[in-house]
Every structure is written in C-alpha cells, then in structure tokens.
C-alpha cells in the first residue's frame, strides 16, 4: 500500500495489510432501479409516441405527418425531388434521411396522398424504389382536399424550436383504415390492415345515418381473404390470405394475384423450396409479372392440378395468416381499439372539423359583410369629408365614428378602432369609382353565403353526408375492391402432399422405415404421413414415417393411414389363444392414439391371425374354412361370406367361426363393396365438395360414378367427385352424370349470326369438350340436362309489323341426339329477343332398388380405443 493510501486510513478502519480478506477483489452492487424508471421508460415512451404507433386523430405517425407538412410547405403544384422533400422534412424530424425516405416511399406506394413520378418500386414484385435523388413527388388532389387546413390546425414548436409543426393534421377522412399501419414499439406493436376506400366512405355515411356497418380489409395486392375470424381488427383475430390460382392449361397453373405481405419473388422462392423438399412436384416456373401478376407453374404429366393448388396453399406462401392488432395513440397513451370504433371516431372527428371549418367561414363572411356595409356607409354618406379639418389621428377616428353612428343600427356588432382605421386606408381612386349597386350586390351575395353556412351548421350531419358523398364521386373511381372475400376450407396436407419418399418393411424382424432399402418395398410416402401396421399376433399400431421404426415381428400389412376413413374396411379371422375358438370380424379404423399397440383379438396370449384383408371400398370377399381332422367332426370345410358380417368397432370380439382347430383359411371369391354409395354435397360458400352435409346435395355416388360440369363458355366434362377439386365461378351445371341422359343446348353462332339447337351425349369420360362454335362472338344461351326440355322463344318486333307470338319448342322433338361436335339445327330465321327455359315435360324413370345398408353406424365404438378413452387424433 502506498504512502498516500496509508494517509487515508484511520484507526477506525485500519486492518492488517496481509489479511486474506484484503487480498480478494472487492465486489460492489449497483442498483439500476432509477435507470429503469427514468431512462428506459423515457425511451419506451418516446418509441411508442414518436415513432412506431399512429395517432387516432389523423392516422399519421410523426414522420408521416412531418413529410406531409413539408410537402405542403414546398407545394407549388409542380413535382419536387424526393431528396429535396426529405431534406426539408429533416427540419422537423430529428432522424436520418434514410428513415424519412423509406417512410415517404411507403406513403407513395399506397397511391392515395402522393402523386409519384419515376421508379417508386413495385409492391407486387418487391422491387425497391430508385434513390430519392431520381424520383419526384407532389401532394395529390385528394391529399390537398382532405388533409390540410391551416386555419383549424393546432401547432407546436419543432424539436429545435425554430419552426412550427402541426400537432395533428386536420384529416377529414378515415385515412388510417384506408392506408393501414404497422409498427413495433417497446412492449407493444400495431398492425392495422388496409380497407377499401369506397367501403369506408359508405360506412361513414351509414354511421352518420345511425345505421350499422361492417368493414373488412382490402389489400392492394388483391388475392383472396377469409375474414371469418377478423374479430374487428382486435388482438386475437386472424385473416387468412391466399393467392389467386387457376388452371390455364391442362398441365399449367397461373397465379394472377399474390396474398398480402408477399411478393412474386417470395412466392416463387417458397414454391421452389417446397419442390426441393418433395412436398409438391413442378416441372418449371415462369415469372411474367409486369403491370399485373402472372406466375406460370408447369406441372409434370400425371400430376393433378387440383391437388397441386391445394398443396401450394398447404406448403408455400400462397396462403398466409395475418394477425391484426388495432393499437393507436390517443391523448399520448396507447389505445387498443377495433376498426369499427376507429371508423366511428374518425367520422365524428371529421364532423367536428367540418363544423370548425364552417364556423371559420361564417366568421369570415360576417366580417366581410360588416366591413362591406361600413364601407358603403362611409362612401355613400361621404363621411370621409368629415376628417378634412381634423389635425390629429384621434380627431380623425372620432370624426368618422361620429359620422357613422346614425347609419349603423343594422350592423351585427359594434364598430372598433380597427374598423375605422381600415376605412381610412380606402384609396381616393376606389371612392371615386364606387358603385352603390355593385356594393349592394356584394353585400347581398355575402348574406346568401352567411345564410347557406348557417344552414349547413344547423344541418351538420346532412352536410357531412354530402361531403363524404362528394369524396366518393370525385375520388372513388378506380378504387373498387381488389381482394375477394371468401370462406376457406382447411387443406388436409396428407391428402395433397406429393409422396416421393419410399417406404420399406422387414416383415419377419418387424421393422418399417425409409432407410431399409434392402428390404421389401411397400410404396411411396411423405414425411408427414402416418403408417398403419398389423402383425400376425393380432396387434395394430399407427406411427409416423421415420427412417427405421420397430413395430413387432411378423408384420402382415402396412399402409398409409387416413384419418376419419370410414370406407376402408378390414376383414379379420383370428384364433383366440393356442386352443381357443376362432372369431371373424369386420371393422374400420377412423382414429387412434399414435404409437400405441392395439390388440384386435380377445386379448388372450398366443392368439393368431388366420386371415386378414384391407379393403379400400368396403369389399367383402368369400373365404373357405378348412378344419383339422379331430374326433367325430363331420363338416371339415365350408365357405364364409364377409358380407354377412356387420361392420363394428375394432375392439369388438367378433362372431364365432368354429370352436375346433382351423387348418387353413383361403380366399375363394373376391367380393364387391358392401358400403352404401357416398353422399356428396357442394358448398357454394367455399366452392368445394364435401361429405359432411354442407351445402347442396349432389347425389349418392358409387366408385365409378362421375360428376357432370358445364360452364358458361360451352365446355362440358365429367370428373370423379373428389373433395380436392377446384371449380371456376362460371359453372352453370354441376350434377351427377347419367351417361345415357342427353344434354340439350341453344347457342348463338357468331360466325353465322344465328341461334342453333343441339342435343348430345358425353362421348368420353374425364375429357373436356367444347360444344359451341369457336368464333369469339359465339356464346351459350341456355343448357338443360332434363329428359324432355321445353324452351320459349320471344321474337323481336320488326318495324311496320306486329310482333310475332312467342313460340314454345320441345327440344326432344326438334332435334335428335347427335355427336358433341355436331353443329346442330337452326333454331329460327326470325330475330330473337330472348330465349327462356320452361318447366320440362314429365317423364317416367325406372328407380333402382336401394342397396342394403351394411355399414356400421356405431361411430362411438369405432372411434374409441380398447380402453374406452377418446383418441388423440
């Protein structure tokens, strides 16, 4: 220890220098409570209030408000360099130029407040804007109309005190909802989705009229949105967005609109990534996006376009989920509020601003009327002559005041010194050319304007409605809704994924997996599939696809497991224990607990499966049972038909086959399905087929049955009714296809300029055929799938002639059934005004006897495991 240190020691704190305690480094505790309370909370408050979250009053963040104020400062009707605007904004915004330029580009890309010139980037492709020195901007007409009014703006000093900036701009429109807003602050964030311009105006008008309204997001990129869980834009809500995908050719899909928050580049990257992972299979992808989105996805032969569309939604950015969060600043505090309340407050704020604007106009008109009246009195009565002999200013004021007094009884306020001072400033030239009639006309016009403004103030709500109506008329054109609202069906990923991984099994050792390449190949699978397995001792298990999984020795069946599959029926005969009786059962497996062993026998040890089959459509075969010779058994062989066995749950014991030892069970005859035809419905809300009873019943379909589709373009085709199918909006016929039932059509032949009638049958299933002429002017008038359709023709009245009476035509008698490519017969030579389809003639149709129902309805038994508990999936 140095001498100086020794001098600092006192007897009270003197300790031995060589003590062990003094050799250790001294620890000190610094309490940061004060720092947290003062510094961090100040920083958090600053970020929330001054950077990230918009104000509810005008919908602007501070940087946006300062940009608009700077543009107004610079506005002369011409374009300004963005770099110049950014530099000017830095007088008000205490941050770097990059953040200001980025914020300005975001405003410009929303195409509402700023007229842009140059390369401002592309929200569709994600391309960035050019440097701010290369692009230009000016305030749009709409921005000048609804954002600025210095007379009703409250001002505050800028950050350095040199200038004045607006506290809030007097925005008279729900701007925040139109543009949307997003920001991340300390401890909270905001995500307000953009809404449609016209719909916001309509909603404001409804609110002013005391009517209810509902507003939904509308994205500038278009796409399709499911807003069923929007939750008014509050926390916990969700909006699902999808790209608009359609089939342009047989093996080509086209994306014409992208979901909000994505670009064509991010979409293509996600598609290529899903292809690399084997979840989808594409041949190549082309990006032809220019002013409109066009991404072409070419598919290999044999790949279903409908399943690929669903796979794109399931595994790529073609579907995204957005969680809105309505957070704004009100009175320097964060406020969580829904979009309905935002619109109400914005509308009411607009009404208040209109009231202030009208009040200022009224005051200005009244002041103009007051001075115009004083001026007329002053000149008409030649009061200016009274000041000729006055030598002092006070004398002049008093002389004018005295001269005015006899003539001011009709004025609406008292005369002030300022009024008299203004009168003294009137030039002699104006006095000499004063026209009493023109002066009175000006006063009368001002009185009319005052009356009009007072009327607006008395009927403020009507005035506000007229204001919003004018905005819609002046600026609503071209701002129609871009995003289609639709309810989505969830895509089952297991049904649409491309199965490109190979599955193998080692039956004797009891292993399954994708790495057992030396063992038996089962089929293709994907990494999200579940596999169902059965073993010779009567055990069943469902497990995830993996490289190698132990199931149990002597595997007899392996397949991909489909949840809720009631049509795959398993036929089983097993021996109970080593010497017990044999049982027969039929069951389905709709749900299980993953990686759990299920015993399909009676639970006795050494039980053994004697016969097993898996039937995808409920087929019931006939088997021959052969017994071992024992004692006095007379009947050693007989047949059993599985069709006689009811379908029950997997935990059922089954029916007794025999109590004697079984020598063998052999397949004698393959069976047919014992399940009733599937009922299929079409849900118009989601434009999808289903088997859950939602929508319109299309009929009962067997395995070979087809669905007939006819669209407005005159194209007919038949398809297998799968729930993965996608349908165009122009379908006019969707029904169960009866091959022998003719289709009747009346179409206009554009090339021959006349109507034709034809009746035809679908000649080839699963083939798309156009049955009207290819001329671009040709169109389908009516189509009918009735057996005996009737049509009514209304004729056009010709000049100088009576109108021909309507004619009813029996299409069955009019033309025989011909080929689908036939031209048809000419309908009439007269000019046709309209063709109507009438009620068809009655026809007797033979009805097939309904099939016997053999499918189990005991769903509760089938959907529980053998412990009685509900399954996990």
């Amino acid at each position: 220890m140095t001498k100086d240190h020794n001098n600092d020691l006192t007897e009270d704190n003197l300790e031995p220098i060589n003590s062990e305690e003094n050799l250790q480094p001294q620890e000190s505790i610094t309490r940061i409570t004060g720092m947290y309370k003062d510094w961090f909370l100040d920083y958090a408050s600053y970020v929330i209030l001054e950077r990230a979250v918009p104000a509810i009053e005008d919908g602007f963040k501070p940087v946006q408000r300062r940009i608009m104020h700077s543009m107004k400062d610079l506005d002369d009707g011409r374009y300004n360099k963005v770099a110049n605007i950014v530099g000017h904004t830095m007088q008000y915004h205490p941050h770097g130029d990059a953040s200001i330029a980025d914020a300005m580009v975001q405003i410009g890309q929303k195409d509402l407040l700023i007229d842009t010139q140059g390369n401002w980037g592309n929200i569709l492709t994600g391309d960035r804007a050019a440097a701010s020195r290369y692009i230009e901007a000016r305030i749009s007409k709409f921005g000048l109309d609804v954002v600025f009014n210095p007379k009703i703006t409250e001002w505050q000093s800028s950050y350095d005190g040199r200038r004045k900036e607006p506290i809030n701009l007097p925005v008279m429109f729900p701007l925040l909802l139109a543009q949307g807003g997003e920001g991340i602050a300390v401890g909270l964030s905001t995500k307000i989705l953009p809404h449609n311009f016209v719909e916001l105006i309509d909603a404001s008008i409804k609110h002013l009229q005391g009517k209810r309204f509902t507003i939904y997001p509308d994205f500038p990129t278009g796409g399709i949105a499911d807003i069923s869980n929007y939750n008014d834009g509050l926390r916990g809500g969700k909006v699902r967005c999808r790209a608009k995908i359609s089939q342009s050719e047989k093996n080509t899909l086209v994306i014409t609109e992208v979901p909000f928050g994505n670009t064509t580049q991010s979409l293509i990257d996600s598609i290529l990534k899903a292809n690399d992972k084997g979840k989808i299979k594409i041949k190549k992808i082309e990006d032809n996006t220019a002013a409109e989105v066009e991404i072409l996805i070419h598919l290999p032969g044999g790949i279903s376009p409908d399943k690929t569309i669903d796979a794109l939604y399931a595994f790529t950015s073609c579907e995204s989920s957005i969680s809105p969060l309505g957070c704004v600043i009100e009175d320097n505090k964060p406020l969580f509020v829904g979009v309905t309340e935002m619109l109400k407050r914005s509308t009411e704020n607009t009404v208040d601003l209109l009231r202030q604007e009208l009040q200022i106009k009224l005051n200005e008109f009244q002041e103009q009327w007051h001075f115009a009246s004083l001026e007329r009195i002053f000149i008409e009565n030649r009061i200016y002559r009274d000041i000729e002999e006055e030598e002092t200013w006070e004398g002049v004021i008093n002389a004018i005041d005295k001269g005015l007094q006899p003539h001011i009884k009709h004025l609406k306020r008292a005369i002030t010194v300022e009024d008299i001072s203004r009168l003294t400033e009137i030039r002699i030239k104006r006095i000499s050319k004063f026209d009493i009639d023109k002066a009175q006309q000006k006063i009368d016009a001002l009185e009319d304007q005052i009356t009009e403004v007072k009327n607006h103030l008395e009927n403020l709500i009507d005035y506000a409605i007229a204001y919003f109506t004018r905005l819609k008329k002046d600026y609503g054109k071209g701002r129609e809704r871009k995003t289609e609202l639709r309810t989505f069906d969830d895509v089952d990923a297991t049904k649409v994924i491309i199965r490109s991984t190979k599955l193998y099994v080692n039956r004797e050792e009891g292993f399954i997996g994708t790495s057992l390449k030396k063992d038996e190949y089962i089929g293709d699978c994907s990494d999200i599939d579940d596999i169902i397995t059965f073993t010779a001792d009567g055990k069943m298990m469902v497990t995830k696809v993996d490289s190698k999984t132990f199931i149990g020795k002597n595997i007899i069946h392996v397949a991909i497991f489909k949840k809720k599959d009631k049509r795959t029926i398993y036929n089983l005969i097993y021996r109970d224990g080593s010497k017990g009786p044999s049982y027969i059962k039929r069951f389905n497996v709709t749900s299980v607990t993953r990686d759990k062993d299920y015993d399909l026998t009676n639970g006795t040890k050494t039980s053994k499966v004697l016969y097993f089959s898996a039937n995808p459509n409920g087929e019931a075969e006939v088997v021959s049972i052969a017994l071992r010779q024992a004692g006095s058994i007379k009947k050693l062989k007989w047949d059993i038909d599985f069709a006689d066995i009811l379908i029950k749950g997997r935990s059922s014991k089954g029916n007794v086959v025999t109590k004697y030892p079984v020598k063998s069970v052999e397949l004698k005859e393959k069976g047919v399905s014992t399940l009733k035809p599937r009922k299929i419905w079409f849900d118009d809300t989601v434009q999808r087929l289903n088997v859950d009873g939602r929508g319109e019943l299309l009929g009962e379909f067997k395995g070979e049955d087809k669905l007939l589709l006819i669209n407005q373009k005159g194209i007919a085709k038949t398809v297998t009714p799968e729930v993965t199918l996608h349908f165009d909006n122009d379908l006019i016929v969707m029904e169960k296809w009866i091959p022998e039932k003719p289709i009747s059509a009346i179409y206009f032949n554009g090339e021959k300029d006349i109507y034709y009638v034809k009746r035809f049958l679908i000649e080839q299933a699963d083939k798309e055929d156009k049955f009207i002429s290819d001329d671009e002017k040709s169109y389908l008038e009516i189509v009918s799938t009735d057996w005996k359709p009737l049509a009514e023709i209304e004729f056009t009245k010709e000049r100088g002639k009576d109108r021909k009476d309507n004619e009813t035509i029996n299409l069955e008698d009019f033309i025989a059934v011909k080929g689908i490519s036939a031209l048809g017969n000419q309908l009439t030579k007269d000019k046709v005004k309209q063709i109507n389809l009438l009620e068809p003639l009655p026809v007797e149709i033979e009805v097939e006897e309904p099939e016997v129902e053999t499918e189990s309805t005991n769903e509760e038994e089938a959907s529980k495991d053998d412990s009685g508990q509900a399954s996990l999936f």
Side-chain angles (χ1 to χ4, degrees), residues 38-180:
D38 298 333
W39 300 352
F40 181 74
L41 289 182
D42 285 348
Y43 167 72
S45 299
Y46 173 77
V47 173
I48 293 170
L49 299 178
E50 295 295 326
R51 294 182 67 176
V53 185
I56 193 170
E57 289 84 1
D58 58 5
F60 286 123
K61 296 179 183 180
V63 64
Q64 296 170 333
R65 187 180 300 115
R66 288 161 179 160
I67 288 170
M68 297 307 299
H69 175 59
S70 293
M71 292 187 71
K72 180 62 175 173
D73 279 350
L74 297 170
D75 184 52
D76 58 1
R78 297 182 296 174
Y79 288 98
N80 283 287
K81 287 283 188 183
V82 168
N84 186 26
I85 298 171
V86 170
H88 194 275
T89 305
M90 292 179 71
Q91 297 178 95
Y92 304 101
H93 195 63
H95 294 279
D97 60 329
S99 62
I100 299 173
D102 288 344
M104 187 170 179
V105 168
Q106 289 180 13
I107 299 173
Q109 287 179 342
K110 289 170 182 175
D111 191 28
L112 198 60
L113 299 179
I114 298 178
D115 282 341
T116 60
Q117 187 164 273
N119 177 17
W120 281 68
N122 191 326
I123 60 172
L124 300 177
T125 62
D127 294 335
R128 293 180 59 84
S132 56
R133 61 184 178 274
Y134 298 125
I135 56 178
E136 297 179 328
R138 66 183 177 190
I139 303 173
S140 67
K141 291 182 179 179
F142 174 76
L144 290 170
D145 198 347
V146 304
V147 175
F148 303 101
N149 190 334
K151 296 176 182 177
I152 56 175
T153 302
E154 295 184 29
W155 304 89
Q156 63 183 3
S157 297
S158 61
Y159 70 94
D160 61 1
R162 288 189 172 94
R163 290 169 182 81
K164 294 292 183 183
E165 65 173 340
I167 299 174
N168 289 303
L169 287 169
V171 177
M172 291 186 283
F173 179 79
L175 189 63
L176 179 56
L177 292 173
Q179 293 192 131

Side-chain angles (χ1 to χ4, degrees), residues 787-788 841-847:
W787 290 95
K788 296 178 178 291
L841 294 174
V843 62
E844 293 183 4
I845 302 175
E846 294 183 5
V847 180

Side-chain angles (χ1 to χ4, degrees), residues 476-591:
K477 188 176 181 181
R479 299 189 183 275
E480 295 78 15
R481 169 167 284 278
K482 293 182 178 180
T483 302
E484 180 185 350
L485 301 182
R486 188 191 298 174
T487 303
F488 298 158
D489 254 359
D490 292 328
V491 176
D492 187 346
T494 60
K495 292 182 179 179
V496 298
I497 192 169
I498 298 296
R499 292 181 166 85
S500 55
T501 305
K502 299 185 182 302
L503 180 68
Y504 303 89
V505 61
N506 186 321
R507 296 182 184 274
E508 291 183 5
E509 296 182 8
F511 287 96
I512 64 169
T514 57
S515 63
L516 309 175
K517 297 184 179 179
K518 294 182 180 180
D519 295 307
E520 179 187 347
Y521 169 67
I522 296 297
D524 292 343
C525 64
S526 71
D527 56 1
I528 66 171
D529 278 331
D530 289 300
I531 305 300
I532 187 169
T533 59
F534 297 85
T535 56
D537 58 356
K539 300 291 175 52
M540 178 191 80
M541 179 188 286
V542 173
T543 186
K544 289 288 289 183
V545 168
D546 207 343
S547 59
K548 186 176 182 180
T549 304
F550 179 72
I551 300 299
K553 291 188 177 181
N554 299 316
I555 297 173
I556 58 175
H557 180 72
V558 181
I560 293 173
F561 176 67
K562 302 175 183 177
K563 289 189 293 181
K564 302 178 182 179
D565 180 12
K566 296 180 181 179
R567 298 191 70 82
T568 299
I569 304 299
Y570 302 97
N571 298 337
L572 174 68
I573 299 175
Y574 69 92
R575 184 190 69 210
D576 185 26
S578 57
K579 297 181 180 180
S582 298
Y583 293 89
I584 184 171
K585 62 192 286 187
R586 301 185 75 204
F587 60 95
N588 54 24
V589 181
T590 57
S591 57

Side-chain angles (χ1 to χ4, degrees), residues 610-678:
L610 302 176
Y611 180 86
F612 176 88
S613 68
N615 307 280
N617 202 34
E619 292 83 358
E621 63 269 33
V622 178
V623 295
S624 294
I625 307 294
L627 302 183
R628 296 184 185 277
Q629 181 66 49
S632 59
I633 304 174
K634 295 180 180 180
K635 191 175 182 181
L636 295 177
K637 190 172 184 180
W638 72 95
D639 296 338
I640 292 180
D641 190 347
F642 272 98
D644 298 330
I645 308 301
L646 291 178
I647 300 170
K648 296 185 178 180
R650 61 171 176 265
S651 59
S652 65
K653 185 177 182 179
N655 299 343
V656 175
V657 176
T658 179
K659 61 181 179 180
Y660 299 108
V662 175
K663 181 181 179 182
S664 65
V665 181
E666 296 179 353
L667 175 65
K668 181 180 181 181
E669 180 182 321
K670 290 185 177 181
V672 296
S673 175
T674 58
L675 301 180
K676 66 178 182 179
R678 264 199 319 178

Side-chain angles (χ1 to χ4, degrees), residues 367 370-371 374 393 397 413 415-425:
E367 284 300 304
H370 179 78
F371 186 74
L374 277 181
W393 177 250
I397 297 296
R413 69 169 177 83
I415 299 174
T416 63
V417 175
E418 288 76 13
D419 293 335
I420 298 174
S421 180
R422 284 185 64 189
L423 290 174
T424 63
E425 296 172 1

